[in-house]
Amino acid sequence: MTLDIEQLGGFILHRLGRILKMHWLLFAMVMLLSIAGVFFINSAVYSAYLSDHEYFKGAAMNQARWIGIGLVAYFFFLMIDYRILPKFGLPMLLIACLLVVYTQLTQHKVNGARSWLPIPGTGVTLQPAELVKISYICALTQVLIFLRPRIKRLSTICIVGVMGAIPFFLVLQAPDLGSASVLVPTTLLALWGAGARKRYLMLPILGLAAIFAFCYFYIHKEGKHLPFLKTYQENRIRIFFDPTLDRKDAGWTITQSLIDEGSGGLLGKGYMKGDQNIYGFLPKNIAYNDFIFSVIAEEEGFVGGSLVIISEAVLLLCVITIAFHATDFEGVVLACAFVGMLLTHFFVNVGMTMKVVPITGIPLPFISYGGTFMVACMAGMGIVQSIWIERQRRPIA
Amino acid sequence: MLTRDPFVEIRRRLTWLALGVVGAAVLLVWNLYKIQIQEGGKYTASIRSQTSVSILLPPPRGIIYDRNGVALAENKASIDLDVYFRELLGYYKRSHKGGLPMIDVQTSHNKISRRIDVDKILNETSSDLFHMLNLQPTFTRQELLRHHYQTPNVPFVLVRNLDFTTLSIFEEKNPNIPGIEETVRPTRYYPYGALACHILGYVGHPEEKPDEDEYRPDIVGKDGIEKTFDDELQGEPGRKVLRRNQLGDILGEEGHVDPHSGDFIYLTIDARIQFIVQRVLQKVGRGAAIVMDPHNGDILAMASVPDFDPNEFVPEIDPKKWKELVTDPTRPLFDRAISAYAPGSIYKPIIALAALENTNLNPRFTASTIFNCPGSIYMANREWKDWNPNGEGEIPLKMGLAMSCNTFFYQLGALTGIDSMADMARRIGIGERVLDRKGDRVILPGEMPGVLACPEWLEEQGKKKIEAWKKKHAEDPKKYPYKTMPYVEQWSLGHTLNTSIGQGYVAVTPLHMAMMTSAIANGGTVFDPRLVLGTSEEVEDPETGEIQNKKLTGFDTIARSEKIASSPETLQAVREGMLAVVEEGTGKRAAVPGVKVAGKTGTAQFKTTIEGHLVTDLRTWFTGFAPYDDPQYVVTVLVEGGTSGGGTCGPLASEIFSAIFEMKNMEKNGQPYPMTYLTPVAGYFGGVQESPPTTGLSLLPTTPPAEDTSGDQPTATTDENAADSRFDKPSTTAPYHNVRGLRR
């Protein structure tokens, strides 16, 4: 095939032109949150202690770099036609799962989990679990496209459930209950968008409610043990219901988080002035990712905290709007799946700092420190933008 | 459904999804609101408790001074060894890889509770230290555990008052165990030991109240001025607020408030006179003495023996010593100067004053009225004896007082009548607490009012008895039938006659007698005795930073409105009589060379039970003033178990007067009066005599009667006063019916 410069040039220009058609509000929200995130991370790692300070000093810059890489991914996926992705969904998922398994087999535990895979040649580590989330969405879409005629049937749900169970358990082995459990709401919302029967979707929800009730009555009230839950996971459940059980240890984090947020008041203590954070009451290793919201609430107060919540919500509503305007089945499903993923991260992350949900280690989209996740989210937003841009290309199917 | 437009369905679903997102956001915002705005205060408060630790700095207790600024109760620095639990436990944890030994403790609600075994930790970390310093722990494991549980942030005192040697060793070889530190604390110190101990009182730890967790002062007053003025003496604790991080390390001091010393109390006591009095009383087994300024009622000295050393109570009295003090039959903790006793003959001036003032008598009784005084007199259907069997013959008031003639006063009393005598006694304050400023404040707990014997009082007593009986009868009619109803005594001439010589139901405190004597000395004005001059507070001048004394409250001199004599002539008669007591009468041994002393002796009959035996235990008195022409001092002395007023108390008063005048001379010459640490006087039952007739054995050595019979001895045996009820007294003798009969 001869390389036709003109055709290539036209093709590239055409693709670049898509940038102009993107959903500007979504882009604004993404950038707003990301940049704010950098500042918050900078404040979160600031510490009165030199040793801590040294260790975490470069965090903000690192995050900025990841944003840069993320933006590359964002624009890339924006420029391509999103319909390619479901075609490669399952293979992508397979690769991601293999990476996860590889990580677990070869890496040693960091902070109690084998979740990081160093890329040889660079000093960078990757989190395969985050890649699983993205590739799972694509794979799920692929499967749902296949199952579309039978979407209303219970069997669809079961097949999807089985399919999702595999990455779920694989990630769970890390152990990373948080990331694994993100897959569940993602799946549910994808099914919702795909048109599965409501009553069938209620089953897993009821199941979750039952688990919650079980946790409450059996574990919290009666104090019995479950054989398959690890102690610390069980403790997490107990501590959720009553952080005072172990104020000094496991309950420490949530107690501190509440104190941090509560003492922030209406306007907060000011940027870089959150004394709970500075003095290390909120452990540094979580202050800049999982509990970044505590720092935000402490320093920027109710005003700042609400703004962040509202911004994330607006971002999600943008994605839903895009789903509204999607022109085909896969567009809707992909968009809904991303809503599911982001909403879960958002709600659980903020909620756990407020004792609304138990503590799970999942990051706040675009704000928490974490390179792989940032790139994954950016990529996701790029895909969603692609859906938006395509909306006028084809008639409604 | 299949018929439905899928696009519409998608739209509907997406709308629901959008609503879900909004709902989630609202939920989060609302929770944030709840935490930050509604409950924000709670969390901010948590920060304070996490990040700051406050240490209380104990305030020095206010100093109690005498009228000249001599400190009677002050503070000195005590260097203690404290343990701060948090630091110690942190240290232990770090060196033992996180585990803390636990122990099961029985709590007050009979539950078993798991607590940190602080005792074991302390033992492990500090037993070497204790060994090196050669110290024995004085606390129990219980105390340690309880202190840690209740007030873990308050340091626990391991050893108090380290002496210099031990302290040096500690400083030099300090093993630097985190949490074990030396602290300087103020402790109460009485520089003169037992000087004015009953007035000052003593201090100790407050009662254990396990539920309170507010600041409780380490030391509170338990008796005397230390107790009644405890609020003023306490002062304000200071506080040091330290900032710490989550590991517990102290980062710096956030705030510092200096402790504020307690208020200073100024007493009317003159320490030198108090010292003189206590030295003189050292030879007395049980007694009291008061020196008063007749011009204003200020108490210059007030002492009681046996006494105690308040330093022994600081910081905590040895339980053995406490038991000794409390079970000692001579009662060293008891302040005799403010307790009620039968006055005996020193009550006679009151009779004289009452008679002289009584305008209803016809003819009026004057200084020149003569009574015939035989050795005994027949009145109220029986014989009333004088102490002198020969009588005194025909004598005026002056000689009646001088020789303390009973028969004179029987007649005078009968003439004047009990109402007149009771009124005069009331003017002097007998029957009420005179240091208690009309309910304003009780200056000395334990002050007794005495008994104002009069018909109204007797009626009151009778009513009370009937009431009490009625109650018992109502509860158990079988055990208390009507025939057990007590007789109500009616006042009779016999009561009056007894009262005339200061026996019967009359009871007075040495303080009352000092008041009476002061009034006679100063021309007739009765002053309420004043023990406390006032209080003052140390304030820092905001401009110069200088410490000044700011007077807070003063207690005024209070003169009673009713005088004891309406004209100088009436008073003069009594004064002349009292001068004659010392110059030629029963009080010769109270004389001081070169100084004219006037006064009155008294010997009151009383019986005490010692080890089951009823013994005679005379109450001997002397009260007087000097110099006669311009009285400066009033001295009242009481001795339990003395031989006679003139024989026992007279010489003591003389010594006191001499020493005071000598001291004043030294003062004039600019010489300071030497005062030393006073050790407690031990009490003994001297001077008691086996009371006849009793069965055989005499367990106590009987003292032979004094050769000098210049004292008086009442012949009428009496009913024991209800007021002297604290001592074991014999059961009431047969009630004094209105029966004409022999009374012996």
Side-chain angles (χ1 to χ4, degrees):
Chain A
M1 197 163 99
T2 55
L3 196 64
D4 189 336
I5 302 288
E6 278 175 17
Q7 243 187 331
L8 188 65
F11 175 74
I12 292 173
L13 274 176
H14 171 73
R15 291 292 154 180
L16 285 171
R18 283 162 69 100
I19 296 176
L20 297 171
K21 295 204 202 127
M22 74 173 162
H23 191 287
W24 288 102
L25 186 58
L26 178 64
F27 181 65
M29 283 295 122
V30 168
M31 291 317 294
L32 178 73
L33 287 169
S34 308
I35 294 174
V38 171
F39 282 104
F40 289 133
I41 289 171
N42 191 31
S43 170
V45 300
Y46 178 71
S47 164
Y49 306 110
L50 206 55
S51 56
D52 272 357
H53 195 71
E54 286 299 311
Y55 185 75
F56 292 105
K57 205 163 55 166
M61 288 311 295
N62 267 338
Q63 184 79 341
R65 268 182 235 124
W66 283 112
I67 292 177
I69 300 175
L71 282 173
V72 170
Y74 170 81
F75 284 113
F76 174 73
F77 283 102
L78 181 159
M79 288 193 278
I80 64 167
D81 188 347
Y82 65 91
R83 280 168 273 248
I84 299 176
L85 297 170
K87 296 203 171 47
F88 298 102
L90 283 169
M92 277 169 36
L93 181 60
L94 191 65
I95 296 172
C97 288
L98 285 174
L99 280 174
V100 166
V101 171
Y102 177 72
T103 311
Q104 286 177 10
L105 290 177
T106 60
Q107 299 306 313
H108 45 257
K109 286 195 177 194
V110 175
N111 282 344
R114 290 180 238 268
S115 311
W116 274 270
L117 188 64
I119 300 176
T122 67
V124 173
T125 52
L126 207 60
Q127 275 187 284
E130 309 295 347
L131 297 177
V132 166
K133 289 176 194 167
I134 290 269
S135 49
Y136 175 74
I137 291 176
C138 300
L140 184 60
T141 314
Q142 182 177 21
V143 169
L144 283 174
I145 293 172
F146 180 71
L147 292 171
R148 189 178 181 189
R150 289 176 283 259
I151 196 74
K152 295 289 182 193
R153 294 222 206 134
L154 183 61
S155 54
T156 314
I157 314 247
C158 297
I159 295 169
V160 166
V162 166
M163 180 208 138
I166 302 168
F168 179 85
F169 280 107
L170 282 177
V171 173
L172 193 62
Q173 293 304 107
D176 192 348
L177 179 60
S179 294
S181 37
V182 168
L183 297 178
V184 176
T186 311
T187 317
L188 284 173
L189 280 180
L191 283 168
W192 174 262
R197 285 185 89 115
K198 287 181 225 161
R199 67 189 74 164
Y200 296 143
L201 288 178
M202 291 302 290
L203 290 172
I205 293 175
L206 285 174
L208 278 172
I211 292 177
F212 185 80
F214 177 77
C215 289
Y216 182 69
F217 290 111
Y218 199 64
I219 296 183
H220 174 57
K221 286 280 188 184
E222 303 260 338
K224 305 251 196 338
H225 299 276
L226 284 174
F228 57 84
L229 270 185
K230 292 199 174 34
T231 320
Y232 84 90
Q233 285 164 337
E234 202 180 291
N235 280 340
R236 285 244 179 108
I237 297 173
R238 276 188 222 277
I239 299 290
F240 170 70
F241 289 113
D242 187 3
T244 63
L245 276 180
D246 194 350
R247 280 197 67 162
K248 289 290 150 85
D249 232 343
W252 173 261
T253 322
I254 184 62
T255 315
Q256 283 313 120
S257 173
L258 285 170
I259 292 177
D260 278 7
E261 297 187 335
S263 59
L266 186 63
L267 293 171
K269 296 178 190 162
Y271 184 63
M272 297 260 258
K273 293 207 182 82
D275 47 1
Q276 287 297 94
N277 181 41
I278 293 178
Y279 289 118
F281 281 95
L282 192 65
K284 276 277 165 283
N285 60 333
I286 56 164
Y288 68 152
N289 46 25
D290 297 345
F291 277 84
I292 187 93
F293 191 76
S294 304
V295 179
I296 296 173
E298 184 183 11
E299 299 193 352
E300 323 301 332
F302 180 71
V303 168
S306 317
L307 278 177
V308 166
I309 293 174
I310 292 170
S311 304
E312 294 265 355
V314 166
L315 185 134
L316 285 169
L317 289 172
C318 287
V319 179
I320 295 177
T321 313
I322 292 173
F324 237 75
H325 290 266
T327 51
D328 56 10
F329 180 73
E330 43 263 66
V332 170
V333 171
L334 275 170
C336 288
F338 277 114
V339 169
M341 183 182 97
L342 291 172
L343 178 63
T344 311
H345 277 93
F346 162 58
F347 187 75
V348 170
N349 182 290
V350 175
M352 78 177 171
T353 69
M354 299 201 272
K355 208 194 155 195
V356 171
V357 285
I359 296 180
T360 52
I362 57 179
L364 187 61
F366 302 105
I367 295 184
S368 278
Y369 181 80
T372 322
F373 184 63
M374 170 64 82
V375 173
C377 288
M378 288 275 191
M381 291 302 98
I383 297 173
V384 169
Q385 290 284 22
S386 178
I387 299 173
W388 171 255
I389 293 165
E390 296 286 332
R391 73 192 180 288
Q392 278 140 12
R393 287 290 239 60
R394 304 263 181 89
I396 296 165
Chain B
M1 311 313 279
L2 288 168
T3 51
R4 253 205 268 172
D5 182 356
F7 195 60
V8 169
E9 196 194 334
I10 297 258
R11 278 228 170 114
R12 194 182 301 144
R13 288 189 170 209
L14 288 174
T15 317
W16 277 113
L17 185 58
L19 283 175
V21 168
V22 170
V26 166
L27 182 70
L28 291 175
V29 170
W30 181 70
N31 255 297
L32 193 63
Y33 174 78
K34 202 171 69 159
I35 294 175
Q36 291 198 307
I37 311 290
Q38 278 184 350
E39 293 175 11
K42 169 173 99 172
Y43 294 111
T44 317
S46 291
I47 291 193
R48 286 254 64 80
S49 69
Q50 291 200 130
T51 53
S52 31
V53 54
S54 29
I55 298 181
L56 281 173
L57 304 170
R61 204 168 162 80
I63 301 181
I64 303 180
Y65 291 104
D66 87 334
R67 66 189 301 125
N68 298 319
V70 174
L72 300 174
E74 55 182 10
N75 304 300
K76 66 173 183 183
S78 156
I79 302 185
D80 306 334
L81 212 53
D82 283 358
V83 59
Y84 289 81
F85 289 117
R86 222 202 8 255
E87 272 69 38
L88 187 70
L89 294 182
Y91 165 72
Y92 189 87
K93 243 189 181 170
R94 287 197 285 278
S95 49
H96 285 77
K97 291 287 176 228
L100 283 177
M102 305 293 277
I103 185 175
D104 287 324
V105 166
Q106 179 106 13
T107 64
S108 52
H109 305 292
N110 272 339
K111 281 208 298 226
I112 305 281
S113 161
R114 206 113 234 265
R115 297 196 190 150
I116 301 177
D117 193 349
V118 206
D119 188 37
K120 176 160 183 231
I121 294 171
L122 188 66
N123 228 350
E124 272 187 46
T125 47
S126 64
S127 59
D128 285 337
L129 177 69
F130 271 69
H131 195 71
M132 171 178 81
L133 297 176
N134 210 7
L135 294 170
Q136 291 289 9
T138 52
F139 49 88
T140 64
R141 160 185 263 234
Q142 293 299 89
E143 286 169 11
L144 191 61
L145 283 170
R146 189 165 30 148
H147 187 106
H148 170 69
Y149 178 66
Q150 286 174 352
T151 48
N153 287 325
V154 175
F156 182 80
V157 183
L158 292 173
V159 189
R160 280 187 202 269
N161 216 359
L162 290 173
D163 62 40
F164 189 68
T165 324
T166 318
L167 184 62
S168 323
I169 301 176
F170 179 75
E171 291 290 324
E172 197 189 309
K173 302 216 180 125
N174 188 2
N176 269 318
I177 304 170
I180 298 194
E181 287 173 28
E182 62 182 62
T183 321
V184 181
R185 279 198 180 86
T187 47
R188 203 49 155 172
Y189 178 61
Y190 302 89
Y192 297 107
L195 189 75
C197 57
H198 288 104
I199 295 171
L200 296 171
Y202 53 86
V203 295
H205 289 311
E207 295 291 317
E208 280 291 337
K209 271 200 202 123
D211 296 326
E212 273 173 41
D213 60 4
E214 322 175 327
Y215 168 69
R216 264 188 4 248
D218 202 22
I219 296 283
V220 291
K222 295 271 179 142
D223 201 6
I225 296 280
E226 295 272 20
K227 181 173 179 186
T228 48
F229 284 82
D230 191 51
D231 286 333
E232 284 88 344
L233 290 167
Q234 279 290 347
E236 295 286 321
R239 127 191 269 126
K240 221 168 32 171
V241 180
L242 303 170
R243 197 161 15 99
R244 64 179 190 97
N245 69 3
Q246 85 281 17
L247 296 172
D249 304 325
I250 303 293
L251 298 173
E253 206 174 88
E254 253 176 18
H256 186 103
V257 176
D258 279 328
H260 191 238
S261 157
D263 295 343
F264 301 140
I265 312 259
Y266 289 88
L267 301 176
T268 55
I269 300 288
D270 185 329
R272 304 162 299 177
I273 301 182
Q274 181 81 21
F275 183 77
I276 289 169
V277 167
Q278 290 198 229
R279 246 217 349 241
V280 168
L281 284 180
Q282 273 173 351
K283 22 179 170 319
V284 171
R286 298 162 295 146
I290 295 182
V291 178
M292 190 181 271
D293 183 344
H295 302 108
N296 49 30
D298 280 358
I299 299 175
L300 298 169
M302 192 160 82
S304 168
V305 288
D307 53 18
F308 58 92
D309 185 352
N311 282 319
E312 284 182 349
F313 287 80
V314 180
E316 236 171 48
I317 185 162
D318 182 21
K320 272 208 297 274
K321 183 81 201 161
W322 173 251
K323 192 158 174 222
E324 244 179 70
L325 285 172
V326 160
T327 55
D328 187 342
T330 61
R331 296 175 129 239
L333 294 173
F334 181 62
D335 189 351
R336 289 168 161 82
I338 46 174
S339 308
Y341 295 93
S345 305
I346 57 166
Y347 204 69
K348 285 172 181 166
I350 294 181
I351 314 302
L353 288 165
L356 290 165
E357 280 290 292
N358 195 340
T359 51
N360 294 331
L361 297 176
N362 201 358
R364 287 289 299 276
F365 176 77
T366 65
S368 39
T369 311
I370 308 279
F371 280 173
N372 182 25
C373 304
S376 69
I377 192 168
Y378 196 81
M379 294 177 88
N381 296 310
R382 54 159 279 204
E383 206 186 357
W384 296 81
K385 282 194 181 158
D386 187 19
W387 62 269
N388 183 351
N390 299 324
E392 305 293 331
E394 298 196 345
I395 49 172
L397 177 63
K398 181 169 160 186
M399 289 315 291
L401 282 170
M403 301 316 293
S404 197
C405 178
N406 286 352
T407 42
F408 185 95
F409 281 91
Y410 291 140
Q411 295 173 72
L412 188 56
L415 180 70
T416 311
I418 185 64
D419 293 323
S420 176
M421 300 194 301
D423 180 68
M424 184 57 63
R426 196 186 34 79
R427 291 189 203 184
I428 288 173
I430 295 172
E432 54 175 289
R433 303 236 281 272
V434 288
L435 278 179
D436 181 10
R437 306 243 139 187
K438 318 275 181 274
D440 249 356
R441 186 195 290 263
V442 177
I443 300 289
L444 287 180
E447 186 196 347
M448 302 186 71
V451 173
L452 180 58
C454 63
E456 291 80 26
W457 176 83
L458 199 59
E459 216 179 290
E460 264 307 308
Q461 297 300 104
K463 275 199 194 124
K464 282 191 198 148
K465 270 200 211 156
I466 299 286
E467 283 306 316
W469 175 86
K470 272 190 185 159
K471 244 193 235 155
K472 287 200 279 206
H473 173 76
E475 282 167 20
D476 194 349
K478 280 218 180 63
K479 200 164 164 201
Y480 298 102
Y482 277 111
K483 64 179 179 189
T484 59
M485 186 158 91
Y487 288 101
V488 175
E489 264 183 272
Q490 303 285 350
W491 192 270
S492 67
L493 180 60
H495 287 97
T496 307
L497 296 178
N498 257 332
T499 309
S500 312
I501 58 163
Q503 300 270 191
Y505 289 117
V506 175
V508 300
T509 63
L511 198 52
H512 287 132
M513 292 296 96
M515 281 169 77
M516 174 191 82
T517 318
S518 292
I520 295 173
N522 71 28
T525 312
V526 182
F527 289 101
D528 277 348
R530 196 163 68 139
L531 185 55
V532 180
L533 277 175
T535 60
S536 81
E537 185 187 12
E538 232 179 33
V539 283
E540 203 178 295
D541 190 326
E543 289 153 50
T544 62
E546 221 182 278
I547 308 280
Q548 291 174 355
N549 255 346
K550 185 176 87 169
K551 181 147 177 280
L552 283 180
T553 53
F555 289 82
D556 297 322
T557 306
I558 296 185
R560 291 181 177 232
S561 49
E562 281 179 290
K563 293 187 144 195
I564 55 170
S566 49
S567 73
E569 289 81 41
T570 46
L571 198 57
Q572 190 58 13
V574 176
R575 288 170 61 114
E576 279 178 11
M578 287 174 82
L579 182 61
V581 166
V582 177
E583 287 188 339
E584 39 184 321
T586 54
K588 283 206 206 86
R589 293 183 64 179
V592 173
V595 181
K596 267 204 212 165
V597 177
K600 184 75 193 76
T601 59
T603 311
Q605 181 79 297
F606 191 73
K607 288 189 169 38
T608 306
T609 308
I610 300 175
E611 291 174 12
H613 290 261
L614 199 62
V615 295
T616 304
D617 194 11
L618 300 175
R619 271 79 176 99
T620 54
W621 299 81
F622 181 85
T623 180
F625 58 93
Y628 178 73
D629 299 304
D630 178 21
Q632 298 297 318
Y633 301 101
V634 163
V635 171
T636 304
V637 180
L638 158 79
V639 173
E640 290 181 30
T643 326
S644 68
T648 313
C649 303
L652 295 171
S654 167
E655 261 191 75
I656 293 174
F657 275 122
S658 313
I660 292 177
F661 290 128
E662 199 185 303
M663 182 269 292
K664 278 292 175 186
N665 259 337
M666 287 171 74
E667 189 188 55
K668 244 186 277 184
N669 297 339
Q671 285 172 295
Y673 193 77
M675 283 183 11
T676 57
Y677 192 94
L678 284 176
T679 49
V681 175
Y684 57 91
F685 284 97
V688 301
Q689 287 174 317
E690 194 78 28
S691 173
T694 48
T695 55
L697 307 163
S698 169
L699 289 156
L700 299 157
T702 50
T703 54
E707 287 148 9
D708 188 349
T709 51
S710 54
D712 47 25
Q713 288 157 4
T715 48
T717 39
T718 63
D719 229 346
E720 305 328 322
N721 340 44
D724 235 357
S725 56
R726 281 154 288 99
F727 292 85
D728 289 67
K729 66 180 183 114
S731 55
T732 323
T733 48
Y736 195 88
H737 301 278
N738 247 336
V739 160
R740 280 129 269 269
L742 284 175
R743 172 112 174 86
R744 183 60 178 131

